[in-house]
Amino acid sequence: MDLYEELVVAFLFIVVALVVLFIFRKLLEERKRKSINDSTSAKTGHYWTRVDFVDRGFYCASCKTHLLSGYECDYCTLKVDEVACARSIGERIKCKAIQKPDEQGRYQHHWIPGNIDSDQFCFICDELCGGGVSLRDYSCCLCWRVIHSACMKKNVSEYCDFGPYRYFTFPPNNITTRRVGKRMVIERVTLPEQEDFKPILAFVNTVCGSCTGKVVYRSFLRHLHPKQVIDVQKDNLKSALQWIDDNAEVNVRLVVAGGDGTISNVLETLEDFQRKPPVRIF
């Protein structure tokens, strides 16, 4: 074997080793993510996804370090550095997914610290929030209003009205679920005391559009009740739609985000039900 062949073999060995290392790292990250979700989700409500934060200027909600990569809750956008930070912050800040109302049925603002986009305005003083090189200011993951840390000391109502989302989002405690296989689907709902309430049920193909489906899916999770968002790759469509017939008093609307196959599957499944709610293609 001459020098050229030795170099080629060495190069191929390095490439293969790097590929194997990359795959191993991804598998390890996925295992860690599943481990923390399996062990903490029921108690804290958070559902963590591994995310890259490069050049976003985000900070860990637990240890306050600058984030290049880490974990983000799909529901409330809480961001952390490592699994240990996720467990630590989960004990102090529960997710909105398990938030309960007071005796009068009112929900308090669910404030998430920092990591606010620099184009957001404080709903108290109408000045820009976020920015800087630290974990600063707060956003409510129910109504998505933002507020300065200093403005929180002013006469701010502790109760949240869900902002513009109150017309189509169920409050956290207004949905009862049942298990179908490994997934939870809506069984029955309690209508909030909100005029012109028309909830949305979103169907998303998470593998559609070069993984943009996953981005759309997580965006819906943040702005709707998590059980109002259906992953067509994992959830049984018929089971996910059954509650619409069982709760005829709910004026529900459907949103379908996906390709022709996804749209066709949802529309065909609807034919098995008495109610035919309006459908919007996204």
Side-chain angles (χ1 to χ4, degrees):
M1 182 180 294
D2 59 22
L3 179 61
Y4 175 77
E5 291 176 336
E6 291 179 353
L7 289 175
V8 171
V9 171
F11 175 76
L12 291 176
F13 176 80
I14 293 173
V15 170
V16 171
L18 289 175
V19 171
V20 171
L21 183 62
F22 175 79
I23 295 174
F24 177 77
R25 181 182 177 185
K26 289 296 182 182
L27 291 174
L28 182 61
E29 289 177 353
E30 181 64 15
R31 183 177 179 181
K32 288 170 63 177
R33 186 189 69 84
K34 288 183 177 180
S35 174
I36 187 174
N37 284 330
D38 291 343
S39 62
T40 66
S41 287
K43 184 169 62 174
T44 68
H46 296 296
Y47 189 84
W48 303 101
T49 294
R50 184 77 181 180
V51 180
D52 290 328
F53 299 116
V54 178
D55 297 329
R56 295 297 303 276
F58 290 152
Y59 293 83
C60 175
S62 180
C63 66
K64 311 297 191 298
T65 57
H66 182 255
L67 291 173
L68 296 179
S69 64
Y71 297 89
E72 182 179 50
C73 177
D74 283 350
Y75 307 149
C76 67
T77 73
L78 195 66
K79 299 171 180 63
V80 295
D81 187 15
E82 293 292 344
V83 171
C85 291
R87 290 197 173 99
S88 174
I89 199 68
E91 294 296 326
R92 289 178 280 140
I93 303 178
K94 299 295 191 289
C95 186
K96 69 174 183 179
I98 61 172
Q99 185 174 351
K100 296 185 181 300
D102 64 11
E103 294 179 354
Q104 285 75 43
R106 299 173 299 182
Y107 286 84
Q108 292 184 333
H109 282 292
H110 196 106
W111 297 115
I112 300 298
N115 298 321
I116 299 170
D117 291 333
S118 58
D119 60 348
Q120 300 292 306
F121 289 85
C122 174
F123 81 103
I124 297 298
C125 68
D126 205 30
E127 297 291 337
L128 283 170
C129 278
V133 289
S134 63
L135 196 69
R136 57 192 301 181
D137 303 332
Y138 294 85
S139 60
C140 173
C141 60
L142 293 176
C143 65
W144 293 107
R145 294 183 176 99
V146 298
I147 187 172
H148 291 117
S149 301
C151 290
M152 291 192 73
K153 301 176 183 178
K154 299 179 181 179
N155 187 22
V156 179
S157 172
E158 63 178 314
Y159 297 108
C160 182
D161 63 0
F162 291 82
Y165 307 102
R166 63 183 178 272
Y167 297 105
F168 51 82
T169 300
F170 280 106
N173 206 43
N174 285 46
I175 289 181
T176 302
T177 60
R178 61 186 176 92
R179 182 175 295 277
V180 176
K182 295 182 178 181
R183 306 285 288 182
M184 302 297 291
V185 298
I186 298 175
E187 181 177 25
R188 62 180 183 274
V189 298
T190 302
L191 288 176
E193 296 180 1
Q194 172 63 49
E195 294 183 5
D196 200 29
F197 181 70
K198 297 178 180 179
I200 290 173
L201 190 63
F203 294 82
V204 185
N205 187 343
T206 54
V207 299
C208 183
S210 300
C211 294
T212 55
K214 183 67 174 179
V215 176
V216 173
Y217 177 72
R218 297 186 71 223
S219 180
F220 275 125
L221 286 175
R222 295 172 185 178
H223 296 96
L224 300 175
H225 189 293
K227 299 310 176 189
Q228 289 179 247
V229 188
I230 310 301
D231 182 351
V232 300
Q233 294 293 325
K234 298 179 180 179
D235 293 305
N236 182 285
L237 295 185
K238 192 168 185 178
S239 299
L241 285 164
Q242 182 61 53
W243 72 275
I244 296 177
D245 265 2
D246 298 340
N247 296 263
E249 73 281 5
V250 183
N251 188 8
V252 66
R253 296 168 293 174
L254 307 186
V255 174
V256 183
D260 293 342
T262 303
I263 298 167
S264 176
N265 287 340
V266 173
L267 295 179
E268 287 178 3
T269 305
L270 272 177
E271 293 300 318
D272 296 333
F273 296 92
Q274 293 182 353
R275 295 185 65 193
K276 303 293 188 295
V279 180
R280 178 69 180 268
I281 308 302
F282 181 75

